Amino acid sequence: MRTVRLAMLGAGFVAEFYMQGLKDVPGQEVVVVWSRTEATARKLASRWGIPEVSTDLDRTIARDDIDLYLIALPNFLHKEVAVKVARARRHQVCTKPLGRNAREAREMLDAVQEAGVLHGYAETEVFAPAVVRAGEIIRSGGIGRVLWVRSRESHFGPHSPWFWDADLAGGGALLDMGCHCIEAARFFFGKDVQPVEVMAWGDTLYHRDKTRAEDSTLAIIRFADGGIAHLEVSWTSRGGLDLRNEIHGTHGAIFTDVTRGTSIEAFTLGSSGYVVEKGESDRGWVKPVPEEAFVYGYQAEMKHFVECVREGKTPRETYYDGYVVNVIIDAAYRSMQSRRWETISL
């Protein structure tokens, strides 16, 4: 098996989850981590045994011994870095959301297509084992034709300070988490079914002292076959990450819940340690999520992208998918302002 050599661009929250996912992927090696801050890069490298650190992006991209660049950076750096990597004709994977808006996502898509390089959109939701299994049931005809998808993701706000800045992030809760829900809906309906219009509401219900972006959103997306996707996202939910899907079809329904319906519960008077992503308490009744990197889809997506590089295959999630998601989100933001249905134009 040929070892696929990786460069990690970024050393923060996303990079940590990528490393957790990669540790169980055979035939790969992260050989360098780049960060704007050397101390941050060294911390990640020390924890995961990465042999080299760098703060020189151009030199890192210019290396000829890297098979795949993993872009695990803040939203406002995605386009700049992806275009640079593409111009160097290097394969790349980018975390969600692809761009801060559809225009940035389109520039990234155009760059990788012009360069003729592999590009993967790291949307964990559709690699999560529960979601993948739901998709298998749908494709087998188990619930008939999908009519309605309800997807929810919520917590009490992002880790990173920059994500509270609407200009740096590109938006609020909708851009942060709605991208997961939208791509889940596309996965359940089938990507050949086009989204045609969206109606959305958004407001800042709680975090007015932190952001001028929305911290809560409801949206309805209508698909060309008449199907409806209903998404709920919020930065106002206590108790850690809440991640659920419902898929209703003509012959049945499927329900996924990977953070509240866990296989373990505990009651503790002392500290129980780490419980769940964005968990707010480690005492009392707690529901730890075992092996989060597996449950959320990080391991599966990293394994998939590594195999695609080794075997020369097109990933099942590409920058085109990220672009479509950004187009839908842009339309949802327009709907928040117009208070009417807005057309999704691809």
Side-chain angles (χ1 to χ4, degrees):
M1 180 184 294
R2 179 175 73 88
T3 297
V4 175
R5 293 169 61 85
L6 309 175
M8 184 70 70
L9 303 182
F13 172 80
V14 174
E16 172 65 26
F17 261 118
Y18 283 178
M19 292 306 302
Q20 290 181 31
L22 283 165
K23 71 182 176 66
D24 293 305
V25 176
Q28 58 77 27
E29 179 186 7
V30 179
V31 297
V32 61
V33 53
W34 171 84
S35 174
R36 293 171 294 166
T37 306
E38 183 176 353
T40 306
R42 290 199 178 280
K43 185 176 179 181
L44 188 79
S46 175
R47 187 159 56 248
W48 290 101
I50 301 171
E52 296 181 52
V53 302
S54 172
T55 56
D56 188 328
L57 180 62
D58 291 336
R59 181 174 293 182
T60 303
I61 293 174
R63 292 175 59 147
D64 60 4
D65 63 336
I66 305 297
D67 299 306
L68 180 64
Y69 287 82
L70 300 176
I71 301 173
L73 294 167
N75 298 2
F76 57 88
L77 294 175
H78 289 186
K79 187 194 76 170
E80 173 190 349
V81 173
V83 171
K84 276 191 173 186
V85 175
R87 286 174 178 166
R89 299 193 180 281
R90 302 298 185 190
H91 300 320
Q92 58 185 277
V93 165
C94 185
T95 187
K96 65 82 191 172
L98 189 61
R100 288 179 290 182
N101 50 56
R103 177 184 54 79
E104 287 191 352
R106 184 73 212 194
E107 289 184 46
M108 295 168 68
L109 175 60
D110 289 343
V112 292
Q113 288 182 332
E114 182 179 344
V117 296
L118 177 146
H119 47 99
Y121 178 48
E123 173 46 73
T124 52
E125 181 74 3
V126 297
F127 287 94
V131 171
V132 170
R133 186 68 184 98
E136 292 170 351
I137 294 171
I138 292 168
R139 307 296 174 250
S140 72
I143 64 169
R145 183 168 68 87
V146 176
L147 302 173
W148 187 289
V149 172
R150 176 184 176 228
S151 188
R152 174 176 177 81
E153 182 157 347
S154 63
H155 50 64
F156 202 61
H159 296 287
S160 305
W162 60 264
F163 223 129
W164 297 100
D165 185 319
D167 294 325
L168 291 179
L174 173 60
L175 188 69
D176 179 23
M177 298 181 293
C179 54
H180 293 305
C181 301
I182 290 169
E183 194 61 358
R186 292 184 69 228
F187 178 73
F188 295 138
F189 279 111
K191 292 182 183 179
D192 57 326
V193 183
Q194 293 297 314
V196 294
E197 60 180 352
V198 59
M199 168 74 83
W201 163 90
D203 202 352
T204 312
L205 298 181
Y206 184 84
H207 294 292
R208 293 187 181 90
D209 60 332
K210 286 188 174 182
T211 185
R212 59 183 176 81
E214 79 290 346
D215 64 15
S216 302
T217 295
L218 298 174
I220 301 172
I221 303 167
R222 189 174 69 82
F223 286 77
D225 66 351
I228 291 292
H230 164 205
L231 66 91
E232 309 166 5
V233 294
S234 181
W235 287 343
T236 68
S237 296
R238 294 288 191 176
L241 185 62
D242 181 7
L243 183 55
R244 289 177 274 171
N245 292 292
E246 298 178 13
I247 310 101
H248 300 272
T250 55
H251 292 83
I254 304 171
F255 303 85
T256 72
D257 181 352
V258 301
T259 57
R260 302 298 172 93
T262 66
S263 55
I264 178 174
E265 278 186 273
F267 178 80
T268 64
L269 294 177
S271 172
S272 59
Y274 181 88
V275 178
V276 65
E277 180 188 336
K278 298 178 177 67
E280 295 183 277
S281 176
D282 61 1
R283 288 171 168 80
W285 281 106
V286 293
K287 295 186 176 184
V289 177
E291 294 287 354
E292 282 183 304
F294 279 88
V295 169
Y296 298 155
Y298 287 103
Q299 191 273 344
E301 71 176 1
M302 290 295 108
K303 182 174 185 288
H304 174 70
F305 294 134
V306 167
E307 289 176 347
C308 285
V309 171
R310 181 183 295 115
E311 299 170 15
K313 300 187 302 185
T314 299
R316 66 177 179 88
E317 289 286 315
T318 69
Y319 281 13
Y320 178 75
D321 296 297
Y323 165 69
V324 172
V325 171
N326 272 124
V327 169
I328 296 170
I329 289 173
D330 281 6
Y333 277 127
R334 292 197 303 272
S335 179
M336 287 183 192
Q337 298 299 317
S338 69
R339 297 181 177 271
R340 65 184 65 184
W341 286 93
E342 291 288 342
T343 300
I344 297 167
S345 178
L346 295 173

